[in-house]
Amino acid sequence: MAAAIQTPPIPTSRNDLSTFDEARKGAYAYLQSRLTHKPAASNEPFEIPVIDISSSFSSSLLDRQAVADKICAACTTSGFFYITNHGVPLPTCATMLGEAKRFFKSLNPEQKELMHLRNSKVGMGWEPKAYTSIAGDTETKEGFNFGYEAALDKTGGDGLYRNIDGTNVKGNQWPREEELPGFFENMREYYSELLQLARHLFRLFALSLALPEDHFDSMTTHPGGTVRLLYYPPAKTPSPFSSSNSASSEIGLGAHSDYECFTLLLCSASSGLEILSPSAKWTPAPPVPGSFIVNVADFMMRFTNGVYKSTVHRVVNRAAEERYSVPFFFSVNYDQVVETLPSCVSEENPAKFPPIRAGEYVLQRFSNTTEGGGGYGA
Ligand SMILES: O=C(O)CCC(=O)C(=O)O
Ligand SMILES: [Fe+2]
């Protein structure tokens, strides 16, 4: 039975540093504990589950619950799975990867510079390689981020969107239409599809957590949802993954866990993503055609009281081909104050975390990735 939760006062601004620090330190401690954990000599084979979600679109609750149960099994172990038959048209996915390539290859440095991440207080725009870093390593990736706008939402939204810093100024920086004709329209098409899929998945997450299916609906009316286009150059000295090789000096993206609720990842045919398995072994997560990779992120772990596991992962392009990927980081509405879910609290497992506004949590995590905090929300 759920025990009554004693809730401390809800933080109202970034000035409440205790909650802010708690979020940052908690995430750092989690990453370190996953990276340094030496598992007992278990050689249990670990396979990343592939979940066909076609019957989650059925009108039968039993069918939907059956998919949710598979999601629950994955989230309580590795927090990482593939989904197939997700309903997003495959040509839309192929176009998106093509657009990622067009963005990185056809814009010149001056055009990219005009959209530099440093112009944005909310983390949107172009990330030159090495501008952001997880652990101070020089990362080879180059990126471009954009977030929620009502124009990207098929539902039109409810007009209440707030950025991570609580403002409602337009955070996105787009290339000019004449520089990259059709780019915005293709981003809109992809984003709106992913937004609907993410809302659908949140309903499955609700069922998986023994909550009413519509539990998260009102929290995702104007959600935080960031698309990141990523480019990783080919390896200078290609060599396939083996359990004994390390991240090497050509780290694409350092070991980390994602910040928001969950991530839906689309990637090109070239591998490179590696995840830390439940027994703390680096394990490649190769592309599965037609799928999205789903991983639980830190905010979901927090709000499930640690029941759902946030997956530590990294990218090392060990191949002679370049790699493109497009993660979609999905959150609840950034102005939503989130408390531990009642179904994840019991007398044996009391709430571990104070309530926090979703945007505040993400802002704190994000400001840690750039030297001096990148000026986010300042
Ligand atoms: O490029 C990838 O495959 C993963 C990207 C990622 O983990 C991230 O951007 O957080
Ligand atoms: Fe990630």
Side-chain angles (χ1 to χ4, degrees):
M1 215 187 96
I5 315 169
Q6 288 290 318
T7 51
I10 290 163
T12 50
S13 77
R14 190 176 173 171
N15 295 334
D16 188 338
L17 288 175
S18 56
T19 311
F20 223 55
D21 273 2
E22 175 268 329
R24 191 193 60 217
K25 285 189 189 137
Y28 180 76
Y30 174 68
L31 179 62
Q32 292 312 311
S33 75
R34 289 292 287 128
L35 290 172
T36 54
H37 170 66
K38 297 276 174 285
S42 142
N43 275 325
E44 293 252 322
F46 168 67
E47 274 197 25
I48 303 169
V50 179
I51 305 180
D52 176 345
I53 67 163
S54 49
S55 51
S56 73
F57 299 100
S58 150
S59 56
S60 146
L61 178 60
L62 279 180
D63 288 347
R64 301 197 296 276
Q65 185 68 54
V67 177
D69 291 346
K70 290 185 187 158
I71 291 179
C72 178
C75 292
T76 48
T77 48
S78 66
F80 198 95
F81 52 100
Y82 296 88
I83 54 170
T84 57
N85 294 314
H86 42 66
V88 178
L90 298 184
T92 305
C93 297
T95 300
M96 192 63 182
L97 289 167
E99 287 296 68
K101 183 165 188 172
R102 198 160 68 108
F103 179 94
F104 293 114
K105 293 289 159 117
S106 68
L107 292 179
N108 63 41
E110 292 72 34
Q111 290 169 324
K112 290 177 180 170
E113 189 66 31
L114 288 173
M115 298 179 279
H116 198 292
L117 201 63
R118 76 165 89 78
N119 306 334
S120 167
K121 290 193 188 317
V122 292
M124 300 304 154
W126 173 62
E127 282 181 64
K129 75 173 194 159
Y131 182 70
T132 55
S133 164
I134 308 279
D137 304 311
T138 304
E139 298 176 343
T140 62
K141 55 98 183 59
E142 182 181 336
F144 174 71
N145 305 330
F146 64 92
Y148 185 89
E149 287 181 17
L152 303 172
D153 184 350
K154 272 188 185 149
T155 70
D158 59 4
L160 298 175
Y161 181 70
R162 285 286 175 278
N163 291 307
I164 47 177
D165 62 352
T167 64
N168 61 357
V169 292
K170 279 211 167 163
N172 289 335
Q173 311 192 72
W174 296 107
R176 292 205 314 270
E177 182 61 22
E178 57 276 24
E179 286 169 354
L180 225 44
F183 179 79
F184 179 79
E185 184 47 31
N186 285 327
M187 296 303 108
R188 197 192 62 73
E189 179 58 29
Y190 185 79
Y191 193 100
S192 62
E193 288 286 346
L194 270 270
L195 202 52
Q196 291 309 88
L197 175 60
R199 286 175 169 139
H200 176 77
L201 280 175
F202 239 137
R203 298 189 128 229
L204 294 174
F205 275 113
L207 286 180
S208 79
L209 289 158
L211 294 165
E213 198 170 12
D214 62 358
H215 183 85
F216 297 107
D217 288 4
S218 64
M219 301 184 199
T220 54
T221 48
H222 52 268
T226 301
V227 163
R228 190 181 199 195
L229 310 184
L230 284 164
Y231 162 71
Y232 301 90
K236 290 199 185 89
T237 43
S239 68
F241 176 89
S242 89
S243 54
S244 58
N245 58 16
S246 67
S248 90
S249 56
E250 292 183 60
I251 185 87
L253 187 61
H256 67 285
S257 48
D258 294 344
Y259 317 151
E260 313 228 11
C261 289
F262 57 86
T263 306
L264 289 168
L265 179 78
L266 170 72
C267 46
S268 64
S270 180
S271 54
L273 179 63
E274 297 169 7
I275 73 165
L276 211 50
S277 73
S279 58
K281 290 196 174 70
W282 284 110
T283 309
V288 169
S291 75
F292 287 107
I293 289 171
V294 184
N295 64 279
V296 172
D298 294 349
F299 201 57
M300 175 78 103
M301 182 163 74
R302 177 185 180 105
F303 106 63
T304 60
N305 214 16
V307 175
Y308 279 11
K309 309 294 181 229
S310 176
T311 320
V312 173
H313 53 284
R314 67 185 184 192
V315 179
V316 189
N317 189 359
R318 303 179 190 277
E321 295 81 46
E322 47 197 19
R323 170 183 169 87
Y324 292 91
S325 70
V326 185
F328 178 71
F329 307 105
F330 194 63
S331 173
V332 292
N333 301 340
Y334 282 144
D335 55 346
Q336 176 76 39
V337 173
V338 173
E339 297 182 21
T340 312
L341 292 168
S343 60
C344 299
V345 177
S346 62
E347 269 164 39
E348 302 77 61
N349 189 20
K352 298 185 184 76
F353 309 99
I356 190 167
R357 211 174 291 282
E360 203 160 351
Y361 179 84
V362 176
L363 175 60
Q364 173 55 34
R365 297 293 309 283
F366 204 67
S367 61
N368 274 350
T369 63
T370 37
E371 219 175 313
Y376 299 117

